[in-house]
Amino acid sequence: MPAPPSRQRVRESFDRAAASYDDAAVLQRQVCESLLAGFTSSPEPTRILDAGCGTGYGARLLRKRWPDATITAVDFAPAMLARARQEADLCLAADIEALPCQTDGYTTWWSNLTVQWCAVDPVFREAWRVLQPGGQLALSTLGPGTFDELRTAFSGIDRYRHTLTFSEPATIEAALAGAGFCEIHLHRETISLHYPDLKTLLRAVKDIGAHSVGEGARSGLLGRAAWQRVQIAYEAHRTAAGLPARYDVLLAYARK
């Protein structure tokens, strides 16, 4: 499997995207709301860790549902974290693969569309460590069907990597179990967003900082003829709503 993007490169991408993120993060908000709707917490959370908080949309929803809970927001992109400060009780600039948090300190570990940028084993080990016994995990990430149309359109153009390699549901479940979690439940759904043309679609991806793909990426721009071929190939997927960007969404819940 190709190596993921470097942590520094991902951090820089999201720092640059902080100003445009909220306007572009349509998928992130929709998935966040689905993750919360499927989260049955018993007992109610009192200390929540929002892992990879971005600009704080998830913290805002969590606060609305559990107004008495203490929320700690964590993100390794300072520009993102600065925008989340008004939504959380405490903000930590940190990597969720190595949290600067006390063991058994939280009732709930929450993460919306962040895990796909990480190595899942250390993330889940850290989640298990910081949760108190009986604490609950709720996360969303992306599965292997994400950006299928984009991969197909580029497949006849070059051998470079144009999307991340996303985890299979079985991989997420096994990693959670390996970290020590039980009562693991996974839900899978497909969300498609539509755009008038391919350039607008790719700009929307870039505006949320989600364009670093790691090892094997093209280092230069496509030539004009190759770009036209990609556009023609992607047009085969056009619907009445426009050109689709398909997301294979995985929601996971578990208990320590």
Side-chain angles (χ1 to χ4, degrees):
M1 180 179 293
S6 72
R7 309 299 287 152
Q8 180 64 27
R9 186 170 180 179
V10 173
R11 181 185 295 111
E12 290 170 353
S13 292
F14 281 104
D15 262 338
R16 287 193 298 269
S20 61
Y21 187 88
D22 284 338
D23 288 338
V26 176
L27 175 81
Q28 285 70 16
R29 291 192 293 271
Q30 187 171 341
V31 174
C32 193
E33 290 161 9
S34 292
L35 182 63
L36 186 59
F39 186 30
T40 303
S41 182
S42 178
E44 286 197 357
T46 57
R47 296 184 304 280
I48 303 171
L49 190 148
D50 184 355
C53 64
T55 57
Y57 185 77
R60 191 180 317 145
L61 291 186
L62 293 165
R63 174 79 72 205
K64 184 176 181 180
R65 181 160 173 181
W66 294 295
D68 296 328
T70 299
I71 300 175
T72 298
V74 178
D75 204 286
F76 72 171
M80 288 284 192
L81 195 65
R83 292 172 177 264
R85 291 190 184 283
Q86 62 184 344
E87 310 295 347
D89 298 287
L90 175 65
C91 289
L92 299 175
D95 193 325
I96 65 171
E97 294 184 15
L99 292 167
C101 303
Q102 70 182 70
T103 298
D104 300 341
Y106 296 90
T107 60
T108 307
W109 185 95
W110 165 279
S111 184
N112 182 52
L113 291 180
T114 298
V115 173
Q116 67 271 13
W117 298 103
C118 306
V120 293
D121 290 330
V123 167
F124 294 161
R125 285 196 299 266
E126 278 292 87
W128 191 92
R129 180 184 67 80
V130 302
L131 279 172
Q132 68 182 32
Q136 291 180 273
L137 170 147
L139 73 91
S140 63
T141 188
L142 297 175
T146 300
F147 294 142
D148 263 354
E149 299 89 353
L150 192 62
R151 280 191 295 272
T152 300
F154 275 101
S155 63
I157 305 299
D158 59 34
R159 298 181 180 180
Y160 292 103
R161 185 181 180 199
H162 295 277
T163 73
L164 288 174
T165 299
F166 299 104
S167 295
E168 294 283 349
T171 301
I172 298 297
E173 186 170 8
L176 286 169
F181 284 97
C182 61
E183 298 180 27
I184 301 168
H185 301 284
L186 265 69
H187 173 72
R188 190 174 191 176
E189 60 186 52
T190 299
I191 296 175
S192 292
L193 303 182
H194 294 85
Y195 300 89
D197 52 57
L198 184 56
K199 186 176 292 187
T200 305
L201 186 158
L202 294 176
R203 169 56 62 180
V205 172
K206 186 174 183 179
D207 283 348
I208 58 171
H211 56 286
S212 294
V213 301
E215 183 180 290
R218 171 182 281 277
S219 58
L221 298 175
L222 282 177
R224 182 176 179 181
W227 171 245
Q228 289 176 338
R229 288 168 59 195
V230 172
Q231 288 180 298
I232 292 169
Y234 213 110
E235 281 294 325
H237 301 287
R238 182 177 289 278
T239 70
L243 291 182
R246 180 153 50 111
Y247 296 89
D248 180 10
V249 178
L250 308 178
L251 309 180
Y253 307 93
R255 187 182 297 272
K256 177 174 175 177

